[in-house]
Amino acid sequence: MSPEDARAEMARLAREIERHNRLYYEEAEPEIPDAEYDRLFRDLELLETAFPDRADPNSPTRRVGGGAIQGFEQREHPVPMLSIDDQFSEGEMAAFFARLQKGLGAERVPVTIEPKIDGVAVALHYRDGELDYAVTRGDGVVGDVITENVRTIRRVPLRLAAGAPSWLEVRGEIFLPKQAFAELNQARDEAGLPAFKNPRNAAAGALKLLDSREVARRPLDFLAHGHGRLEGFAPASSLELVEEMKRLGLPVNHPQWRAGTVEEVLAAVRELDHLRHSLPYETDGAVVKVVDFAAREALGTTARAPRWAAAYKYPPEQKETVLRAITVQVGRTGTLTPVAELDPVLVSGTTVRRATLHNQDEIDRKDVRIGDTVLIEKAGEIIPAVVKVVLEKRPPETRPYDLFAEIGGKCPACDGPVAREEGFVAWRCRNPGCPAKTANRLKQLVSRKALDIEGVGTIVAEKLVERGLVVEPLDLFTVPEESLATLNLGTEAEPRVLGSKNAAKIVETLGRARDLPLHRWLFGLGIRQVGESAAKELARLHANLGELAASVILRELRTFTTGQRKDANDLLAPYGISGEVGPTVAASVVDYFESEAGAVLLARFGELGIDSRSGNYAPFAAAVASDGPGVAGKTFVITGTLSSPRDEIKERIEAAGGKVAGSVSKSTDYLVAGEGGGSKREKAESLGVAVISEEGLAELFAAGSAAEETEEARDPGEPLHP
Ligand code: IVH
């Protein structure tokens, strides 16, 4: 066969295969048996192997996945991918419709109503009818390029029908059908792998796989619901757009209703509520969109979402199940949390087996008893909660649940004494050496937002404590590598050791963790009231841990009552602190460092030679304020494709005392522009904002650290006064 003939034959086979794909997926009416389809497929593969330089990159064979790709490139959306405003009641929906009427000065406003698909938003860019690239929503401005993975989704056409516009950006959702989700989890169960929490996570996880062959094994699906950039095609309405998308072979979201009045909208929303559970994918709402594009233009958008669309969120699904037992968990600070053990039940698409009951007061309030039938829903569609007891179904022999009595007055993890602090509803284990507490504190220290010690997960943390290698979380830094390597994660009967490779990796990561900035350590220490944001703000106020322990400003701050919040804010304003740190946080931090535990901790840091420094210390930032050299005190916007992930660059800027904003405005100091990045660059240029490259940013970092050294030399560690 000549190369030319081969090319023609490959094209014919590709068209044939795509046609059968369409018949199979779109029309559910296959013309040929699977074996014959496979034969066509193999013929095409053989030809492509024989004539690789004539093979089409958009060949249907590419759907099986081309193997590993290196990380993900990032790309800016030519039109931002906005969010959508949620409406939580029919009243709110009616108010939205009234705003449309007012904004357009019309009584009737033609809109469509369709299911909100609980999937992963994606933009597919077709250039001259060929799938060119696919990008995730990302932060709405920039997303990950996931073309290879999207190619594996059979429902996504790689090539559109004849007469496609020169550029068509199709927006839609990639999702895992409910059925496929259930099967996938069953298979994972059998293979001893952890189950996915919900279909959306499974889909998102699949799309982030770096090996597209793996992606091809997940039966992902796609439906289109909108557009981004269009060239060579200017539809006047969404109806025209949908017609054209269908004609081009794109699967379009359905069912869809049309309405012109608020009554019609609400009727459609109610109808969809009945129907949605029988749809093949998860839905949590109905999307209402204005049909006419000129009307959309007139209504405009806010920074976050268009004014011409809204999502009606259905109240969470509620299911009944039986509460078989109540177990008690011991948290990081010793809090005893009762947890309901339930008969497994499917709620809003996931199987629920456990739900927190929070504390004794909550149990009393709801009068929850073992053996009760309870009503379960998922708060925010994620966290299962017991709504109430179905009293009519209460068996005769139940009795009120008393946590203290059930645990015999002792911590279920260590048999230590428990107590209820004044003003608190929760019982707490008072044993400072309780292994459950230590394991949870260790988990906090190694968590991603703290020291990020990847090799130490739940089981490793628990075993380290159980085997006595870690008594205090910081002991992790002195566990010998051999002890880590031989740590038994299994049982006496069935030992399973961590291994020397993993041990070496943990030791190496720990070495690097020593130099992480103060806020990461602070968050990891798990001091009460100190979450991620508070930790960052505390690090703005203090150069290192010693300074924090002796803090003058926190001692002043803790004397304010909640009513004096404004005074507290005034005290902090010069440091650019925005409100996470107030009297409560201050009191908690001061109490901690004045306690025995705090003193021991500081001594331990000294012994280990760990001297974590603030990466965003405000006085440094102030000293090199907006007109000084460096990054501190400046506002940056990042655009285009850069050599390292955006999050990383953002973190570096923040660590150096700078800020990163999402869009260019007058207060932007620098636009860091990589390749691409058109609209932001234009905006920056029009506002006279400096546009710099990555190298330019590196120079700013260098200038900043030079300034910082001078500052440090002049004024070492003087306590802060406002
Ligand atoms: S239209 C931006 N229609 O919901 C306004 N969006 O919160 C136009 N989504 O990430 C959006 N199903 O990807 C539209 N039928 C549907 C949708 C839908 C799911 C997603 C969308 C976006 C999010 C907005």
Side-chain angles (χ1 to χ4, degrees):
M1 197 185 275
S2 78
E4 249 332 283
D5 290 347
R7 202 195 50 77
E9 177 61 7
M10 285 190 282
R12 188 191 68 78
L13 285 167
R15 273 198 308 275
E16 195 60 12
I17 290 169
E18 286 291 2
R19 191 171 74 84
H20 290 301
N21 276 345
R22 228 175 3 256
L23 287 169
Y24 188 93
Y25 282 99
E26 293 297 295
E27 284 148 52
E29 263 180 33
E31 272 177 11
I32 53 172
D34 286 1
E36 202 162 316
Y37 176 89
D38 291 344
R39 203 149 42 234
L40 288 173
F41 207 91
R42 253 192 329 270
D43 287 350
L44 179 57
E45 276 180 328
L46 283 174
L47 278 173
E48 284 173 346
T49 320
F51 300 91
D53 53 328
R54 302 293 159 120
D56 178 353
N58 270 337
S59 161
T61 59
R62 295 291 298 270
R63 291 189 192 278
V64 270
I69 39 178
Q70 281 295 306
F72 286 109
E73 189 198 326
Q74 298 192 314
R75 201 136 169 179
E76 189 157 356
H77 298 292
V79 181
M81 280 179 94
L82 296 175
S83 222
I84 193 163
D85 281 335
D86 290 331
Q87 317 295 331
F88 292 98
S89 65
E90 294 201 345
E92 287 183 18
M93 200 68 227
F96 163 73
F97 199 82
R99 285 197 295 278
L100 294 182
Q101 289 171 312
K102 185 158 176 255
L104 295 171
E107 202 44 44
R108 271 192 83 79
V109 181
V111 295
T112 55
I113 299 95
E114 66 189 49
K116 184 164 193 288
I117 305 163
D118 198 14
V120 179
V122 68
L124 310 180
H125 291 261
Y126 289 90
R127 307 292 297 268
D128 296 319
E130 303 261 341
L131 178 64
D132 185 24
Y133 64 98
V135 190
T136 61
R137 178 164 184 267
D139 62 3
V141 177
V142 177
D144 290 327
V145 177
I146 52 162
T147 321
E148 289 308 310
N149 290 347
V150 167
R151 270 187 221 284
T152 68
I153 303 171
R154 286 239 215 150
R155 182 98 77 145
V156 173
L158 302 177
R159 175 173 291 128
L160 301 177
S166 57
W167 193 341
L168 172 61
E169 179 188 347
V170 179
R171 291 187 176 172
E173 303 291 303
I174 291 175
F175 60 93
L176 194 64
K178 287 182 201 164
Q179 177 71 23
F181 171 71
E183 285 165 11
L184 177 68
N185 265 353
Q186 198 179 342
R188 286 177 71 87
D189 243 6
E190 280 158 18
L193 294 166
F196 286 109
K197 263 188 141 156
N198 57 44
R200 195 205 355 222
N201 284 0
L207 288 172
K208 289 219 174 111
L209 290 173
L210 290 178
D211 186 340
S212 55
R213 279 173 308 213
E214 267 309 309
V215 184
R217 294 201 188 106
R218 308 265 171 96
L220 294 172
D221 206 340
F222 169 80
L223 284 172
H225 56 59
H227 71 286
R229 180 156 194 147
L230 299 178
E231 268 177 31
F233 174 45
S237 74
S238 60
L239 303 175
E240 245 178 68
L241 175 79
V242 163
E243 276 322 301
E244 180 65 1
M245 289 203 297
K246 282 188 187 157
R247 188 191 70 77
L248 291 169
L250 287 157
V252 178
N253 191 20
H254 58 276
Q256 195 181 72
W257 288 260
R258 292 172 65 175
T261 65
V262 69
E263 292 77 21
E264 288 166 6
V265 170
L266 294 179
V269 164
R270 285 181 211 129
E271 205 176 316
L272 175 57
D273 194 14
H274 289 298
L275 198 137
R276 68 192 177 103
H277 296 293
S278 61
L279 291 172
Y281 49 79
E282 276 307 313
T283 50
D284 57 353
V287 180
V288 180
K289 288 181 261 192
V290 169
V291 166
D292 187 70
F293 286 172
R296 288 188 182 183
E297 186 80 17
L299 289 161
T301 71
T302 68
R304 217 185 72 81
R307 290 200 184 85
W308 46 261
Y312 176 85
K313 293 302 266 279
Y314 294 110
E317 190 183 359
Q318 299 190 331
K319 285 276 182 70
E320 283 183 11
T321 189
V322 178
L323 188 153
R324 294 289 170 197
I326 295 176
T327 52
V328 179
Q329 286 187 341
V330 187
R332 173 162 56 81
T333 57
T335 312
L336 303 187
T337 307
V339 177
E341 305 287 339
L342 309 162
D343 275 353
V345 58
L346 193 76
V347 187
S348 307
T350 70
T351 305
V352 174
R353 292 185 172 83
R354 320 181 76 201
T356 175
L357 294 167
H358 303 291
N359 52 54
Q360 182 70 54
D361 278 16
E362 186 81 358
I363 292 178
D364 293 346
R365 202 168 57 73
K366 292 181 179 154
D367 188 19
V368 177
R369 304 179 183 193
I370 295 167
D372 268 338
T373 294
V374 290
L375 198 63
I376 303 291
E377 74 170 31
K378 279 202 264 158
E381 298 277 317
I382 302 174
I383 301 156
V386 172
V387 183
K388 63 169 193 178
V389 171
V390 185
L391 283 175
E392 311 85 76
K393 297 196 178 169
R394 172 168 283 172
E397 73 281 12
T398 65
R399 55 193 162 78
Y401 180 85
D402 179 351
L403 190 144
F404 187 81
E406 291 289 334
I407 59 174
K410 291 183 302 188
C411 168
C414 70
D415 285 348
V418 303
R420 230 198 252 240
E421 278 168 61
E422 221 185 288
F424 285 87
V425 289
W427 290 96
R428 261 177 220 282
C429 167
R430 305 301 304 168
N431 170 14
C434 172
K437 274 200 232 180
T438 310
N440 281 317
R441 283 167 54 217
L442 179 58
K443 276 192 249 170
Q444 168 86 6
L445 186 67
V446 300
S447 66
R448 199 171 52 80
K449 288 179 172 166
L451 301 190
D452 193 18
I453 312 297
E454 234 186 71
V456 184
T458 300
I459 295 183
V460 175
E462 282 170 3
K463 293 294 174 187
L464 282 169
V465 175
E466 196 180 308
R467 310 262 186 256
L469 290 166
V470 168
V471 179
E472 269 303 306
L474 285 179
D475 293 345
L476 182 61
F477 282 84
T478 49
V479 177
E481 190 170 326
E482 310 84 71
S483 310
L484 279 174
T486 54
L487 180 69
N488 181 6
L489 305 177
T491 58
E492 296 277 299
E494 270 183 79
R496 181 167 67 88
V497 297
L498 182 64
S500 50
K501 239 193 194 158
N502 291 329
K505 190 141 172 250
I506 291 173
V507 170
E508 192 209 315
T509 326
L510 283 171
R512 269 186 274 132
R514 290 170 166 268
D515 297 324
L516 285 173
L518 183 61
H519 73 268
R520 301 270 297 262
W521 277 94
L522 265 180
F523 177 65
L525 292 178
I527 300 169
R528 273 208 240 173
Q529 311 285 349
V530 181
E532 200 192 354
S533 313
K536 276 192 186 161
E537 294 197 349
L538 288 168
R540 278 183 83 78
L541 292 167
H542 307 90
N544 55 40
L545 204 63
E547 202 177 276
L548 177 72
S551 175
V552 174
I553 199 165
L554 292 183
R555 280 174 177 76
E556 184 165 350
L557 197 55
R558 104 174 133 159
T559 63
F560 289 116
T561 60
T562 13
Q564 292 168 304
R565 187 74 219 206
K566 198 187 153 293
D567 301 326
N569 286 348
D570 289 347
L571 179 69
L572 296 171
Y575 304 99
I577 302 279
S578 56
E580 282 295 331
V581 173
T584 320
V585 174
S588 174
V589 173
V590 172
D591 287 351
Y592 178 77
F593 284 106
E594 284 178 353
S595 76
E596 170 82 32
V600 169
L601 181 96
L602 280 179
R604 200 70 214 286
F605 266 94
E607 277 164 35
L608 292 169
I610 297 171
D611 178 21
S612 169
R613 298 292 177 126
S614 169
N616 56 342
Y617 188 40
F620 292 158
V624 285
S626 12
D627 54 347
V631 169
K634 309 262 175 38
T635 302
F636 292 77
V637 172
I638 311 173
T639 189
T641 308
L642 300 160
S643 62
S644 25
R646 229 164 248 238
D647 276 353
E648 220 168 78
I649 298 177
K650 182 169 179 233
E651 203 157 274
R652 259 165 48 213
I653 291 176
E654 284 176 353
K659 276 194 191 153
V660 176
S663 59
V664 178
S665 72
K666 273 187 293 199
S667 53
T668 309
D669 292 299
Y670 295 101
L671 176 72
V672 184
E675 231 161 273
S679 63
K680 294 232 168 112
R681 195 187 276 269
E682 279 165 29
K683 178 104 189 263
E685 278 162 6
S686 76
L687 289 173
V689 169
V691 180
I692 58 170
S693 63
E694 260 183 296
E695 290 76 45
L697 180 63
E699 279 167 26
L700 282 184
F701 276 124
S705 42
E708 199 171 298
E709 271 157 32
T710 327
E711 179 70 15
E712 213 163 1
R714 203 183 67 216
D715 190 12
E718 190 196 25
L720 264 178
H721 289 284

